[in-house]
Amino acid sequence: MPKISTGRAMLTLTSLATMSLAYVADWNETHIYNPGWTPHAKFHNAQTMSLGAALGLVGLYALWMRRGAWSHSRLQLAAGVASLYWITQLSAIFYPGTALVDPPRTFAPQPALAAAILALNALAYIVERRRIGRSTRQTRTKTAHLGAARTSSP
């Protein structure tokens, strides 16, 4: 099983959040069961929930698949996929006629939640990238020492 590091654990948590939080927020009378919404509006809400689930699964796959070595490329994929849903959520407010909440609600947690998850993903990426760099340097040093020992032995 791949090593559980701080960066991987953080990206795992944000991937799980990406998979599930849209369902927690939208599987109710304000969204998917809202009688005032047209079927097409509900279609797009369902599409968004499914997209979050799919992105979270791809992120988890990139983090924990057993094929190949854990690498900077897989870290980039995992962090990028774990961030896409939240980036698109932040951009949605710039489309015509959108709002963060419908009246009578006034509290809109989306920007703060998206910013927190994106910040956590960035921190996880930095922590894990440094760990991968240290691990790579240690492997190179060991390999160089073994090579030097082999060439100097009689």
Side-chain angles (χ1 to χ4, degrees), residues 1-153:
M1 174 152 203
K3 180 180 170 146
I4 299 175
S5 61
T6 303
R8 267 188 169 170
M10 290 169 29
L11 286 170
T12 297
L13 289 175
T14 60
S15 292
L16 291 170
T18 301
M19 287 176 62
S20 60
L21 288 181
Y23 290 94
V24 171
D26 294 359
W27 200 268
N28 57 48
E29 69 285 345
T30 67
H31 285 73
I32 205 72
Y33 291 117
N34 187 334
W37 281 22
T38 64
H40 190 67
K42 291 179 183 186
F43 168 85
H44 283 289
N45 182 228
Q47 180 183 17
T48 301
M49 291 188 294
S50 296
L51 177 62
L55 288 170
L57 282 172
V58 171
L60 290 173
Y61 181 77
L63 285 165
W64 299 106
M65 70 177 170
R66 294 180 184 218
R67 293 184 185 161
W70 177 237
S71 65
H72 186 251
S73 296
R74 281 189 33 207
L75 170 61
Q76 286 178 318
L77 175 64
V81 168
S83 299
L84 281 174
Y85 181 85
W86 305 100
I87 292 167
T88 61
Q89 187 180 76
L90 288 174
S91 72
I93 194 61
F94 298 108
Y95 287 83
T98 61
L100 291 171
V101 294
D102 290 322
R105 294 184 177 194
T106 57
F107 177 67
Q110 299 95 323
L113 179 61
I117 289 177
L118 289 170
L120 190 58
N121 285 347
L123 179 61
Y125 176 81
I126 291 166
V127 166
E128 193 63 16
R129 184 173 174 200
R130 287 182 181 162
R131 191 190 69 75
I132 290 171
R134 280 193 306 270
S135 176
T136 302
R137 283 191 299 277
Q138 289 171 352
T139 302
R140 284 184 195 147
T141 302
K142 286 179 186 176
T143 304
H145 287 301
L146 288 173
R150 285 187 189 137
T151 59
S152 63
S153 51

